[in-house]
Amino acid sequence: MPHRALITICAILRDRGVDFQCRLAGQGRDEQDVRQAIKSHHLEDHVTLLLYRTHDELADWYRACHVVALPSLSEGIPNALREALACGRPFVASHVGGIPEIADPSFSCLIPPGDTVGFADAFQAYLA
């Protein structure tokens, strides 16, 4: 589950003393699992669930962020990354599926799937 990996990445960043806020948009059957992961990693001050947002609202959230994350284990060409690009935001994503087709080193960073330390390093660089 990408959310569980993202929570682990956030814990690494927090433990490194990185100043950040993570907002998770979307709603689904994993919501309680995500809430529990946030709580068990003591990330309530760093990670917020936005839950469902309309497409119009999502554009504002994309534009407000510094970088978009998608630590997936498998993907096609995800709409979330296409939407981030349309809003002019860089992304850090797993090097899986069709993601390399839309990635470019000038605005994105691809990390091997499951490499939470690599993701944390990339985020820390974007946030520096």
Side-chain angles (χ1 to χ4, degrees):
M1 175 173 94
H3 296 101
R4 188 172 290 276
L6 187 57
I7 300 302
T8 300
I9 293 161
C10 288
I12 293 168
L13 291 171
R14 186 227 24 235
D15 292 348
R16 290 179 180 179
V18 176
D19 184 24
F20 74 95
Q21 291 294 310
C22 178
R23 304 291 187 253
L24 294 173
Q27 193 167 10
R29 63 188 123 132
D30 297 328
E31 180 184 337
Q32 290 307 315
D33 187 45
V34 173
R35 287 185 187 282
Q36 182 56 42
I38 292 167
K39 186 175 181 176
S40 68
H41 282 86
H42 308 287
L43 287 166
E44 297 90 345
D45 292 338
H46 293 281
V47 180
T48 303
L49 290 180
L50 300 176
L51 300 177
Y52 176 78
R53 294 291 180 246
T54 66
H55 287 289
D56 291 339
E57 290 175 300
L58 283 176
D60 290 336
W61 283 102
Y62 282 119
R63 286 188 293 268
C65 74
H66 294 284
V67 62
V68 173
L70 192 63
S72 298
L73 296 177
S74 67
E75 285 289 343
I77 299 177
N79 284 340
L81 297 183
R82 292 172 39 181
E83 292 165 349
L85 294 175
C87 292
R89 290 301 173 250
F91 64 80
V92 177
S94 298
H95 192 284
V96 296
I99 294 174
E101 295 177 33
I102 61 171
D104 183 283
S106 66
F107 58 77
S108 60
C109 182
L110 298 180
I111 306 296
D115 182 0
T116 55
V117 173
F119 268 92
D121 292 344
F123 286 123
Q124 192 168 355
Y126 270 106
L127 296 172

